[in-house]
Amino acid sequence: MIMVSAVKWVDEVIPDAPYAITEDFMNKLFNEYNIDYIIHGDDPCLLPDGTDAYALAKKAGRYKQIKRTEGVSSTDIVGRMLLCVRERSVNDSHNHSSLQRQFSHGHSQKFEDGGSGGTRISHFLPTSRRIVQFSNGKGAGPGARIVYIDGAFDLFHAGHVQILKLARGLGDFLLVGIHTDQTVSANIGVHRPIMNLHERSLSVLACRYVDEVIIGAPWEVSRDMITTFNISLVVHGTVAENNDFQKGKCDPYAVPMSLRIFRVLDSPLDITTTTIIKRIVSNHEAYQKRNEKKAESERRYYEGKTYVSGD
């Protein structure tokens, strides 16, 4: 509920909605919520018995289909998490570039060579138009109080949403720095991030509390960066994957601390990317079976897909 409510294009959320669009629920949507159309992507959505989950909406003439966002798949992301943990447990040589990755689309993928060893090949193809679609398209404006927060924001979750909401409340404009894949791997671990820089950036941009992002933000917040973006306050949450930065040789927040514009915020939720991964791994057998079934469905989709205008 926290996640979906935070998406900038969402106006209202209906809790406990049924998976199947039953006649009673469909009538409730049309009569109580005044919904005009029920929407789904161009990939099939089937019930356990193999029937179309949206058959009734289609029969009523109140269904519209939109193009699925290519390369974005929960099946794929779950597969990355399962493989990440499996490879971490069996690989002691750190020769990650030779490890094979079996993604949901049926392709064997490898870690990219030449990087940190943790960057994953993604099927998502970001375009300039896509970034514009996610952008607010507005600057901070003169005299605005600009708040800056940075991080990996991997597997964007409710904990991220809540800290961003808190940070946004401290100013007029929230600028979010998204660290590069290499920076995340160096500071959190070679098996991270699960999602690459572009995927993470658009996930953050989709949040209604975020005004702008820096795609590939530097690890250290420099004086020049503070001046360039006219940053009034730099914040960091108490719950994070890596909060040992002050123990290291180089504190990334040394400059804003010296300028007395740094503040640590109490994170409203005790959730991290690691806790999300643990939820998946603790039920790995069920997710493995789910992914095998979904992978076959996605394979058929990609083999038979046709061009759908509008995205």
Side-chain angles (χ1 to χ4, degrees), residues 60-80:
R62 304 287 287 273
Y63 175 85
K64 282 189 179 294
Q65 180 173 282
I66 58 174
K67 181 175 171 55
R68 162 183 163 143
T69 304
E70 301 295 350
V72 178
S73 162
S74 59
T75 305
D76 188 10
I77 294 169
V78 167
R80 297 187 209 181

Side-chain angles (χ1 to χ4, degrees), residues 36-279:
D36 296 299
Y37 293 101
I38 296 173
I39 313 293
H40 194 264
D42 61 342
D43 52 320
C45 185
L46 304 177
L47 297 174
D49 62 2
T51 58
D52 186 351
Y54 294 91
L56 289 175
K58 291 177 180 178
K59 185 178 180 181
R62 304 287 287 273
Y63 175 85
K64 282 189 179 294
Q65 180 173 282
I66 58 174
K67 181 175 171 55
R68 162 183 163 143
T69 304
E70 301 295 350
V72 178
S73 162
S74 59
T75 305
D76 188 10
I77 294 169
V78 167
R80 297 187 209 181
M81 285 186 267
L82 294 174
L83 283 166
C84 164
V85 175
R86 185 186 309 148
E87 289 166 359
R88 183 176 181 179
S89 65
V90 301
N91 181 58
D92 295 322
S93 66
H94 301 294
N95 184 23
H96 304 294
S97 62
S98 65
L99 293 173
Q100 295 292 323
R101 310 200 131 258
Q102 189 68 34
F103 273 10
S104 62
H105 301 160
H107 303 306
S108 293
Q109 300 288 6
K110 295 182 180 182
F111 282 108
E112 291 178 314
D113 291 321
S116 64
T119 303
R120 288 159 180 77
I121 296 174
S122 170
H123 295 279
F124 178 62
L125 301 175
T127 63
S128 58
R129 187 167 65 90
R130 174 77 68 201
I131 294 173
V132 170
Q133 286 176 331
F134 277 61
S135 174
N136 286 348
K138 298 178 181 179
R145 179 174 170 82
I146 300 173
V147 179
Y148 177 75
I149 185 171
D150 61 4
F153 295 98
D154 195 15
L155 297 178
F156 195 66
H157 53 70
H160 292 140
V161 168
Q162 295 292 65
I163 195 67
L164 291 174
K165 181 179 181 179
L166 200 60
R168 182 61 175 79
L170 297 174
D172 307 303
F173 191 90
L174 183 60
L175 176 64
V176 182
I178 316 294
H179 294 147
T180 66
D181 296 343
Q182 291 77 14
T183 296
V184 175
S185 294
N187 289 280
I188 298 178
V190 291
H191 293 275
R192 300 282 286 278
I194 300 296
M195 300 175 74
N196 71 25
L197 176 60
H198 289 115
E199 292 170 323
R200 293 183 285 116
S201 296
L202 291 185
S203 295
V204 174
L205 265 178
C207 180
R208 66 173 70 250
Y209 308 114
V210 176
D211 295 294
E212 180 67 288
V213 303
I214 300 175
I215 303 174
W219 176 249
E220 295 179 41
V221 181
S222 66
R223 186 179 294 268
D224 179 70
M225 181 178 168
I226 292 170
T227 302
T228 298
F229 292 100
N230 195 27
I231 295 170
S232 304
L233 181 66
V234 177
V235 300
H236 188 78
T238 52
V239 174
E241 294 290 324
N242 183 1
N243 260 342
D244 295 331
F245 54 85
Q246 296 184 52
K247 299 177 182 178
K249 296 180 180 179
C250 183
D251 182 352
Y253 304 112
V255 172
M257 282 181 181
S258 69
L259 296 174
R260 298 185 178 181
I261 61 168
F262 179 76
R263 181 173 170 184
V264 175
L265 305 180
D266 290 328
S267 300
L269 292 177
D270 188 17
I271 302 176
T272 65
T273 301
T274 296
T275 64
I276 300 296
I277 294 174
K278 285 180 179 178
R279 292 184 193 179

